[in-house]
Amino acid sequence: MVGGFLYKAVLFDLGGTLITMDVDDKTVDEMALRSLTERIRSLGYCVSEDALIEHYWNHYAFLNTLRESLMVEFPMRFWLASFISKIFREVNEELLNIFEASIIDARVRSATMYPDTLPTLEELVCRYRLGAVTNTSSTEVTSRILRRLRMDRFFEFTVTSADFGVRKPYPGIFHYALREMSLKPADALFVGDSIKHDVAGSRQAGMKCFLIARGGVEVQVFEPKPEKILNNVNNILNFL
């Protein structure tokens, strides 16, 4: 206990915990891809919207299986270049830039805070140091979302899997955040929405963790177990 508080800091996951999309993630990317069809054709490439989207998700699923099993992160520019090479048989730099900008812009525009996010952060920042540890293939997406939603003012430190090179639940990414904030695992609480990525990863790093289950969870045995299972982030204020 530090100064009457259980922790010195609270570290958060972002997507699904503090931030959501105004439409589902798949729709966001598909809207971006559909908007690109005419620009792609103007560069001399012939592909239909449906074929483009089908190839995109097939490639995404393949890479996602790899990154989940290996706990490594493939930067967005890398996997988009791989996708473009597969479908068009070459990597055109202009085409790659168009794809990357379109996907990033779409994800940034669609991001929004959950209603309970802002009041919770405003109260916590008065008492705790705050940080974020998040899985993403693009640090630019994360930083632009935080700036657009004016959430960057709350976080002393943010680390993404795109920067670190590995994904949660690998405990090293949690240790890195703790080290950069000069914290010990017992000094910080982690708050996230994924049993696999957030609870398992933070507990392996020696941290306590609250699970945010906005849609509820089925009754089951968690291993490792979160300290608390809450239906929104505002409820963590009752336990700090």
Side-chain angles (χ1 to χ4, degrees), residues 163-181:
D163 275 341
F164 193 67
V166 298
R167 294 171 56 82
K168 298 179 295 183
Y170 182 70
I173 193 170
F174 296 93
H175 284 302
Y176 175 70
L178 292 170
R179 185 174 69 248
E180 290 298 305
M181 295 178 71

Side-chain angles (χ1 to χ4, degrees), residues 182-203:
S182 300
L183 295 168
K184 297 177 182 178
D187 292 336
L189 171 71
F190 195 80
V191 180
D193 70 312
S194 169
I195 297 167
K196 175 183 177 181
H197 296 135
D198 299 319
V199 178
S202 61
R203 292 302 300 269

